Amino acid sequence: MAKTASNLQIDSVRLWDTIHETAKFGATPKGGVRRLTLGPEDKQVRDWFRKACEAAGLEVRVDALGTMFGLRKGRDMSKLPVGLGSHLDTQPTGGKYDGVLGTLAALEVVRTLNDAGIETDAPICIVNWTNEEGSRFAPATMASAAYAGEYTTENILARTDLAGVSVGQALDDIGYRGNDAVGAQKLGAFVELHIEQGPLLEAESKVIGVVDRGQGITWYDGKIVGFESHAGTTPMPLRRDAMGALAEVALSVERIAKAHGPNAVGTLGEAVIANPSRNVIPGEIAFTMDVRSPDADTLEAIDRDLRAACAEIAARRRVDISVDAIWRKPPTIFNDKLVDAVETAAKSLGYSNRRITSGAGHDACNLATVVPAAMIFVPCKDGISHNELEDATQADCGAGANVLLHTVLSLAGIVG
Ligand code: HGY
Ligand code: MN
Ligand code: MN
């Protein structure tokens, strides 16, 4: 006899065990996870995920960018599935929860419905999106962006990593270039559970973040060209030092983001010196920048100020500085109805909650441009993420998964 759905709870021990079981794929000595997209560790977790989905009775399909869909039939298969999930790839010094919680909580929702013998009216579909992190291949959230029509599949397949390996080649290397066209699996809605990756929920002792907004993001590729010359014989006034210019660019990013604060952030996260040598003045440096704000006008203003600062540094230091905006993600406004469904679920389950804007980018932010979408946050310890110290509690992960379960049930309808 099926349990009544209203008192249904996920199995938080099983979810916790699943999170820690998959953390072994790419486990690092410091307790983090290094699972770069489409690498060998990503293959391991993908193979694990496929088996777990099939064991839960899901029909697993993979699209041309490797995104994995696990479909649970509903009574009315003419209805579009309710989507839920996140990503299983991590940063180089990533943690156990970023993306993993949302993907495995989606699996836990299915397992819970199976155990309770509950059939939903609409089907549900759990999703593991390829390359949410954007660390190995830019941009971040590339597969869900292609699903939302922002890029063609060919454009994404041709993207390369620093070693010159393309997305297409990497997919073939791990056997995850699927036969389905990107976008073939239609979704009627999408809900993503994620750790907050910031300090607010913990600081306010709130268990659930009802995410109604997401920051806009601009990613830049930059290049500084100066002049390589002898570190000992070149007088300081004659130098065209790319490293000195980079140092000023980095401080300008920080200054400009602060000037447009408090709701703006800017980071110079990568720098690669061409042919580095201790006794050669750097002549060429490639770098990247990440700028974010919930406000589109602020992003535009920061773009103008950054370009002006680079032009001034370049002229004064007699170097060339180029800055190319390779990804512009506008701020996200999540679907009111779904955000209300998340809030209603949190309240009915008795969890403390607050509305919150996501500082991080997520696949749900892309889905929100094509289907009704919303997100659920739970706290992470000290707000730390993209760091091997990333941590969360079993209770909070379980609470988030329960809110996910009841949000999905409110959207998919219950039959048995
Ligand atoms: O960069 C981001 O916001 C996401 O965590 N990949
Ligand atoms: Mn994430
Ligand atoms: Mn991340």
Side-chain angles (χ1 to χ4, degrees):
M1 174 62 182
K3 278 187 195 167
T4 57
S6 60
N7 65 3
L8 201 57
Q9 300 265 320
I10 60 100
D11 181 335
S12 65
V13 173
R14 180 169 59 188
L15 173 60
W16 191 250
D17 290 348
T18 304
I19 289 169
H20 288 261
E21 181 184 354
T22 57
K24 68 190 175 195
F25 304 126
T28 64
K30 288 188 187 172
V33 179
R34 177 189 175 86
R35 197 157 64 212
L36 294 185
T37 194
L38 304 183
E41 299 80 11
D42 191 19
K43 172 174 175 47
Q44 288 177 307
V45 79
R46 285 166 170 267
D47 293 348
W48 178 96
F49 184 66
R50 176 196 291 277
K51 282 199 196 84
C53 286
E54 288 167 348
L58 301 181
E59 181 197 341
V60 178
R61 302 182 71 94
V62 181
D63 76 13
L65 293 179
T67 294
M68 303 173 77
F69 298 90
L71 186 68
R72 184 178 195 261
K73 287 189 173 27
R75 184 187 59 167
D76 183 349
M77 290 304 285
S78 71
K79 289 186 174 174
L80 288 175
V82 175
L84 60 158
S86 189
H87 62 94
L88 291 172
D89 66 305
T90 75
Q91 289 286 337
T93 52
K96 298 187 183 75
Y97 305 93
D98 176 355
V100 173
L101 171 59
T103 313
L104 299 185
L107 174 64
E108 177 54 35
V109 164
V110 168
R111 287 171 165 174
T112 300
L113 294 176
N114 289 350
D115 294 347
I118 287 178
E119 184 186 20
T120 53
D121 186 32
I124 63 176
C125 186
I126 72 175
V127 190
N128 168 31
W129 298 101
T130 295
N131 190 27
E132 187 280 340
E133 293 291 1
S135 176
R136 180 181 177 191
F137 300 104
T141 69
M142 64 169 36
S144 54
Y147 180 92
E150 201 174 326
Y151 301 99
T152 65
T153 301
E154 293 66 32
N155 175 298
I156 297 298
L157 288 171
R159 302 292 179 114
T160 57
D161 64 10
L162 287 178
V165 177
S166 70
V167 169
Q169 182 57 57
L171 284 165
D172 292 338
D173 289 348
I174 65 167
Y176 274 91
R177 189 199 293 242
N179 297 322
D180 284 6
V182 172
Q185 176 58 66
K186 302 299 177 204
L187 298 173
F190 185 76
V191 188
E192 180 171 2
L193 168 62
H194 207 287
I195 51 170
E196 180 200 340
Q197 300 177 296
L200 299 181
L201 292 177
E202 188 182 54
E204 295 178 14
S205 303
K206 294 283 192 312
V207 173
I208 297 294
V210 180
V211 188
D212 51 14
R213 297 280 188 281
Q215 282 200 116
I217 305 174
T218 308
W219 275 14
Y220 299 89
D221 280 353
K223 190 172 179 182
I224 301 173
V225 178
F227 188 75
E228 287 175 354
S229 54
H230 198 297
T233 59
T234 310
M236 295 308 285
L238 299 185
R239 294 181 178 210
R240 293 171 54 209
D241 182 347
M243 181 57 89
L246 179 78
E248 288 203 52
V249 171
L251 291 175
S252 300
V253 172
E254 193 177 64
R255 173 179 55 78
I256 292 165
K258 286 178 179 173
H260 288 279
N263 296 321
V265 289
T267 310
L268 192 156
E270 293 173 287
V272 178
I273 303 170
N275 311 307
S277 172
R278 190 188 307 271
N279 49 0
V280 174
I281 299 164
E284 183 177 313
I285 298 178
F287 65 96
T288 66
M289 297 184 287
D290 173 316
V291 170
R292 308 194 190 196
S293 171
D295 177 71
D297 293 342
T298 301
L299 285 172
E300 285 302 318
I302 291 175
D303 183 273
R304 285 195 300 274
D305 289 356
L306 272 181
R307 293 178 187 279
C310 288
E312 190 281 326
I313 294 164
R316 178 161 41 81
R317 285 180 165 268
R318 296 178 300 109
V319 301
D320 180 61
I321 303 179
S322 61
V323 171
D324 178 19
I326 64 159
W327 181 40
R328 291 181 188 272
K329 175 67 188 156
T332 299
I333 298 177
F334 287 110
N335 175 276
D336 284 345
K337 179 172 165 279
L338 260 66
V339 172
D340 290 347
V342 168
E343 194 164 62
T344 302
K347 286 180 175 167
S348 66
L349 290 162
Y351 296 130
S352 56
N353 63 88
R354 61 158 278 176
R355 294 282 175 117
I356 193 168
T357 293
S358 175
H362 298 285
D363 293 307
C365 298
N366 291 328
L367 272 286
T369 64
V370 288
V371 297
M375 291 193 75
I376 304 159
F377 276 175
V378 291
C380 54
K381 191 167 179 329
D382 302 330
I384 294 171
S385 184
H386 287 194
N387 182 307
E388 292 165 286
L389 295 175
E390 183 184 276
D391 199 6
T393 67
Q394 178 178 327
D396 287 347
C397 291
N402 275 324
V403 173
L404 180 66
L405 167 68
H406 287 275
T407 301
V408 168
L409 284 176
S410 72
L411 300 173
I414 301 150
V415 175

